[in-house]
Each structure stands twice: as structure tokens, then as C-alpha cells.
């Protein structure tokens, strides 16, 4: 009920303020497990994604978003929980494993799992090298990957976080990618890299972003140095 209420209220506001245009929604299977993989430019990407997809989209978020104290903390926990976020401690030594296993559970239950292969928000709006977790997920579960891109988000939230601005948004989905030919090869690092690079290539085609063959975390560290 909380998800329906949240989607009804925010969906109305989104349609009025941002006039979102959705392209390729027919590529998302109506049933069964599917991975939605796209670029990550702003803090609110997952919210916009959840609001334009008919099926519920689950995604990983920092556990600090739902552990706050007081009224604000409870409201944030309700908001993120209703929007499909599953809290995971990603800062610990096994954060990557926890996120991977959570995604696998969501897919094994036949649901939609949203993921950003870059692993973090882009520091400058460009598309960075993908982490191979996306490849492990699709090879372990057999779930198809539907690439997507959100156009205009850099104008909605310049710099990736902070105050939202009113600007049109387009969410574009590509055709499903099937990696059944690599079944049983989820431990082969060359296969994992090939699958990940294919997904990122499709995301780049949809978004029109400039590609940088470097991890976004490394680029962020270099920029801060």
C-alpha cells in the first residue's frame, strides 16, 4: 500500500513538473526476473526509474538512509523502503558480496533489480568503466539485462546531488541482452569483463555519454587529489 501511495503522489508531481518521456518500455518483460542496468548521474536516479517502470524495481542503497533517528529518520526509512530500496552496508569489507547476494535473491524471486554498473555516481556526467557485478548477476541467475539511460538528469540535479530543478527528463530503455551463451562461466574473469563491457556499450549508445575507460571511484580520487 505504501508503494502504491508513494508512486501515486510522486508520479503525479513528476508528470506535472518534469513531463517525463519514456522510450522502449516494451523491452522490459512483464514477468520474471530482469536486471535494469544504466548510468548513474544523480542521487535521485533510482526514484525516477522506479516511477516510470510499471513493475516494482528493487535496488541497493546505503543502510544509513533508513537508520536515522526521530521523525526525519522514520520518514526517510518509509520513503526509501516504499520506493524499493534494500539497505545494505556497502562500506564494510564484504559490502560488495552483500550487494551481489541481495541482487541474486531479488532475481531468484522473479523480480526486477535495478543496478548501476559504474558502482557510484559519475563525477562529471561521463560514463565510466563498469564493475563486473552486473555480469555475475546475469550469469548466476539467467536474468536478461535491459540497458537504460536517463537523459536530462544533469539539469534536474546539477552536480549529482542537492536541490532539484525543473527540467524535462527522458528515460530510454534498450532491447534485452541475453548472455545464456556464457552459462556456467560466472567465475571466468575474461567473460565477466566481456559481458560488462557489452552492457556498458549499450548504455553508452542509449545515453550518448562520452566513455572513460576508468572506474568512477578512481576518477573521483584523482579529481580530489
Amino acid at each position: 500500500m505504501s508503494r502504491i501511495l508513494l508512486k501515486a503522489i510522486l508520479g503525479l508531481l513528476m508528470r506535472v513538473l518534469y513531463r517525463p518521456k519514456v522510450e522502449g518500455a516494451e523491452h522490459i518483460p512483464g514477468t520474471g526476473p530482469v536486471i535494469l542496468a544504466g548510468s548513474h548521474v544523480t542521487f535521485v536516479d533510482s526514484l525516477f526509474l522506479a516511477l516510470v517502470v510499471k513493475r516494482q524495481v528493487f535496488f541497493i542503497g546505503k543502510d544509513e538512509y533508513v537508520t536515522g533517528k526521530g521523525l526525519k529518520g522514520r520518514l526517510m526509512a518509509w520513503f526509501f523502503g516504499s520506493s524499493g530500496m534494500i539497505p545494505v552496508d556497502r562500506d564494510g569489507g564484504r559490502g560488495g558480496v552483500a550487494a551481489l547476494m541481495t541482487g541474486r535473491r531479488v532475481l531468484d524471486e522473479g523480480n526486477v533489480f535495478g543496478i548501476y554498473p559504474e558502482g557510484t555516481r559519475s563525477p562529471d556526467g561521463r560514463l565510466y568503466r563498469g564493475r563486473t557485478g552486473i555480469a555475475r548477476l546475469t550469469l548466476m541467475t539467467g536474468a536478461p539485462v535491459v540497458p537504460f539511460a536517463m537523459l536530462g538528469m544533469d539539469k534536474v540535479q546539477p552536480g549529482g546531488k542537492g536541490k532539484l530543478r525543473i527540467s524535462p527528463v527522458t528515460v530510454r530503455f534498450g532491447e534485452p541482452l541475453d548472455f545464456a551463451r556464457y552459462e556456467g562461466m560466472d567465475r571466468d574473469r575474461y567473460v565477466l569483463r566481456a559481458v560488462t563491457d557489452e552492457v556498458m556499450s549499450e548504455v553508452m549508445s542509449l545515453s550518448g555519454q562520452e566513455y572513460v575507460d576508468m572506474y568512477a571511484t578512481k576518477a573521483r580520487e584523482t579529481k580530489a587529489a
Side-chain angles (χ1 to χ4, degrees):
M1 180 61 71
S2 58
R3 172 181 173 269
I4 295 174
L5 178 62
L6 179 67
K7 193 164 185 176
I9 296 174
L10 291 186
L12 176 60
L13 288 175
M14 183 185 72
R15 286 191 294 273
V16 172
L17 298 177
Y18 296 99
R19 306 184 302 280
K21 181 180 178 182
V22 183
E23 301 176 355
E26 68 276 6
H27 295 314
I28 303 175
T31 60
V34 59
I35 302 170
L36 302 182
S39 56
H40 196 14
V41 178
T42 75
F43 177 75
V44 294
D45 287 342
S46 296
L47 177 59
F48 274 77
L49 180 65
L51 290 173
V52 301
V53 176
K54 291 182 179 180
R55 297 177 63 185
Q56 180 167 14
V57 180
F58 294 92
F59 57 94
I60 297 296
K62 294 182 179 180
D63 59 353
E64 63 189 60
Y65 295 155
V66 297
T67 57
K69 305 295 183 180
L71 178 59
K72 180 179 178 181
R74 291 195 296 273
L75 286 174
M76 287 185 64
W78 174 81
F79 176 82
F80 285 109
S82 299
S83 62
M85 192 199 87
I86 302 174
V88 171
D89 180 4
R90 298 187 301 175
D91 295 327
R94 295 181 59 81
V97 175
L100 184 66
M101 291 301 100
T102 299
R104 182 173 186 175
R105 175 173 58 80
V106 170
L107 294 168
D108 284 343
E109 293 173 354
N111 296 311
V112 181
F113 186 67
I115 187 173
Y116 305 108
E118 292 168 282
T120 187
R121 292 194 304 273
S122 169
D124 53 19
R126 295 185 293 177
L127 184 68
Y128 284 81
R129 196 177 197 216
R131 301 280 181 174
T132 57
I134 175 70
R136 292 183 185 277
L137 275 179
T138 185
L139 297 186
M140 287 190 301
T141 65
V145 178
V146 174
F148 72 87
M150 294 188 181
L151 311 181
M153 293 302 294
D154 56 329
K155 295 181 177 61
V156 170
Q157 199 174 39
K161 59 183 179 179
K163 186 176 180 180
L164 298 182
R165 299 182 180 180
I166 307 302
S167 184
V169 172
T170 296
V171 185
R172 182 178 295 156
F173 296 96
E175 295 184 5
L177 304 175
D178 183 0
F179 297 102
R181 61 190 183 279
Y182 296 123
E183 183 179 0
M185 304 177 71
D186 59 280
R187 294 184 180 276
D188 186 316
R189 63 190 181 96
Y190 295 105
V191 169
L192 294 176
R193 174 46 54 192
V195 169
T196 302
D197 288 348
E198 183 174 339
V199 172
M200 298 309 290
S201 177
E202 291 299 318
V203 172
M204 181 178 65
S205 296
L206 292 168
S207 68
Q209 292 170 282
E210 176 186 348
Y211 180 75
V212 183
D213 192 19
M214 176 192 296
Y215 290 123
T217 49
K218 181 64 175 180
R220 197 182 299 276
E221 292 170 0
T222 302
K223 185 177 181 180

